[in-house]
Amino acid sequence: MNIAGTIRKLKFQHTVFLVLLVLAIAGALVYTASATVAENENLERTGSVVAVVLSVACLLVGFNLFKRKMMEARNLELPEMRIRKYFTACMIWWSLIYLPGIVALALFVITSYYSFAALAVLHCLILLAFMPRKGNIAVLLRLTEKDL
């Protein structure tokens, strides 16, 4: 696949991650508005610790993996190989942003504790911030206009 096609595929994959997370947030909010959930303070406290630790761990690990794969991609000779490595790096990074958001939503559905929903929204915003842009990809991968 050529570079332009890979960039289109990357943007599509990002949109899929974003739409799935937004739909999951909307579904969780609708469900908890209509369901009755017994309050369990212990579960809320434990869930909060799990959600925050998972979020921080996934964001740190994901960003470090992304950064390392980006450095590997920059050193590759062929532009097609660089963009493939970048695609892999993005998929890993976005998955590690998406996962804690889904876990937070599951905890929100179980407990109806709105801080879990807020955490999921935060992950949605982080995912939105790392949207692939052609200009950024060109700079990060040292691609010329001819390569694009």
Side-chain angles (χ1 to χ4, degrees):
M1 181 177 279
N2 63 5
I3 292 175
T6 305
I7 291 174
R8 276 193 306 277
K9 187 176 177 183
L10 192 64
K11 288 181 179 183
F12 176 76
Q13 290 292 335
H14 182 267
T15 303
V16 167
F17 272 110
L18 198 56
V19 167
L20 286 174
L21 192 55
V22 168
L23 288 175
I25 291 169
L29 289 171
V30 167
Y31 174 78
T32 55
S34 64
T36 54
V37 177
E39 290 189 27
N40 184 344
E41 193 173 309
N42 240 1
L43 183 60
E44 289 175 6
R45 196 173 304 129
T46 305
S48 294
V49 170
V50 167
V52 168
V53 168
L54 181 66
S55 290
V56 170
C58 282
L59 290 175
L60 288 175
V61 168
F63 184 72
N64 286 325
L65 281 172
F66 177 75
K67 191 168 62 173
R68 185 174 50 206
K69 291 218 178 274
M70 280 301 307
M71 291 301 119
E72 290 173 12
R74 286 178 69 111
N75 296 328
L76 292 174
E77 194 170 316
L78 295 174
E80 290 81 13
M81 292 177 71
R82 282 187 251 160
I83 196 72
R84 273 194 227 118
K85 188 70 130 175
Y86 179 76
F87 184 87
T88 303
C90 285
M91 288 296 111
I92 292 169
W93 176 220
W94 295 338
S95 296
L96 289 171
I97 294 171
Y98 181 78
L99 174 70
I102 293 298
V103 170
L105 284 175
L107 289 167
F108 172 63
V109 167
I110 293 169
T111 64
S112 291
Y113 192 48
Y114 280 91
S115 66
F116 294 129
L119 184 61
V121 169
L122 174 69
H123 281 274
C124 189
L125 293 174
I126 293 170
L127 195 56
L128 192 59
F130 286 97
M131 185 182 322
R133 293 174 191 86
K134 197 174 191 176
N136 291 355
I137 294 169
V139 169
L140 287 171
L141 298 179
R142 296 181 308 170
L143 298 172
T144 63
E145 193 62 40
K146 186 183 95 181
D147 293 331
L148 296 174

